[in-house]
Amino acid sequence: MTAPMTGPDPETIREVLRRLRARQGPFRPGAPLPIIDQVVATVLSQNTSDVNSGRAFARLKERFPSWEQVADAPPDEVADAIRPGGLAAVKARRIQEILAEIERREGRIDLDRLRGLGDEEAEAYLTSLPGVGPKTAACVLVFAMGRPAFPVDTHVHRIVTRLGWVPPGTTAAKAQALLTPLVPPEIRHELHVAFIVHGRTVCRALAPRCGECELRDLCAYGGAVPVSGEG
């Protein structure tokens, strides 16, 4: 009978980050957005590139100076503003549902009250909003609130699966639940960002550059790729 996977130990995780940092240079976290802005920006980031989601967010803010105006606007106008991000009709409906629910609960469209909540309470609040799952909540916690969350997006999911940190077939949500307790809290933000950069440049979905990867000797997938077959 095969023993259950226990995941990577903290020393391995720190070594992975050390190697990625050596390649990528110093970690420079971006300026945090207001909590509500981060919620909307993360919804817009789903199933699209950062460039397209950033363009959609900028157009939304330009078209509607306040979140109250977004909440009250005709859905097709919101969809038109965020069209560069893809799935515009679906995302417009979701954003308006979220804003309406926040206004119902808080009496205004503002989430600054979450700063006074503990990590688990804030996460529970966020995931209780329409369509906000664990990854979106973790992004809000780490990027807007400076909390020690570890979001597992497409890039992170691909990398941790290839490294063998989670069993094959593990969903992103399950991977996040498994790995968050294992990643030292003080490096979760930095490791998340380092993995995203690594996923875009080296550990790509198609034609990963295993031959130039500094994690290859630690990687179940990369170690199985013959040198002659690398992209």
Side-chain angles (χ1 to χ4, degrees), residues 168-183:
T170 302
T171 65
K174 182 64 174 176
Q176 183 171 305
L178 289 171
L179 292 176
T180 298
L182 302 180
V183 178

Side-chain angles (χ1 to χ4, degrees), residues 89-151:
V90 174
K91 292 178 181 179
R93 183 173 66 252
R94 180 56 42 76
I95 289 167
Q96 289 189 307
E97 289 172 348
I98 291 170
L99 296 177
E101 180 59 17
I102 292 170
E103 187 169 30
R104 185 190 70 80
R105 296 184 192 182
E106 306 298 324
R108 58 179 183 163
I109 303 178
D110 184 274
L111 287 177
D112 279 351
R113 183 174 69 83
L114 271 60
R115 298 190 186 280
L117 302 181
D119 295 346
E120 292 185 3
E121 289 179 290
E123 180 182 18
Y125 184 107
L126 290 166
T127 55
S128 71
L129 294 171
V132 174
K135 191 268 285 187
T136 296
C139 285
V140 175
L141 288 168
V142 71
F143 292 125
M145 301 175 64
R147 305 295 181 88
F150 185 64

Side-chain angles (χ1 to χ4, degrees), residues 21-73:
R21 186 57 52 233
R23 181 188 185 104
Q24 297 173 12
F27 175 52
R28 295 185 175 90
L33 293 173
I35 298 174
I36 184 63
D37 289 43
Q38 186 65 60
V39 171
V40 174
T42 306
V43 170
L44 290 173
S45 73
Q46 295 166 1
N47 303 111
T48 192
S49 68
D50 284 349
V51 171
N52 288 338
S53 66
R55 186 177 296 125
F57 184 76
R59 283 184 41 157
L60 183 65
K61 296 282 281 185
E62 181 180 358
R63 179 84 65 90
F64 304 103
S66 74
W67 292 120
E68 287 75 14
Q69 288 175 294
V70 176
D72 295 338

Side-chain angles (χ1 to χ4, degrees), residues 144-157:
M145 301 175 64
R147 305 295 181 88
F150 185 64
V152 173
D153 71 346
T154 302
H155 293 296
V156 177
H157 187 219

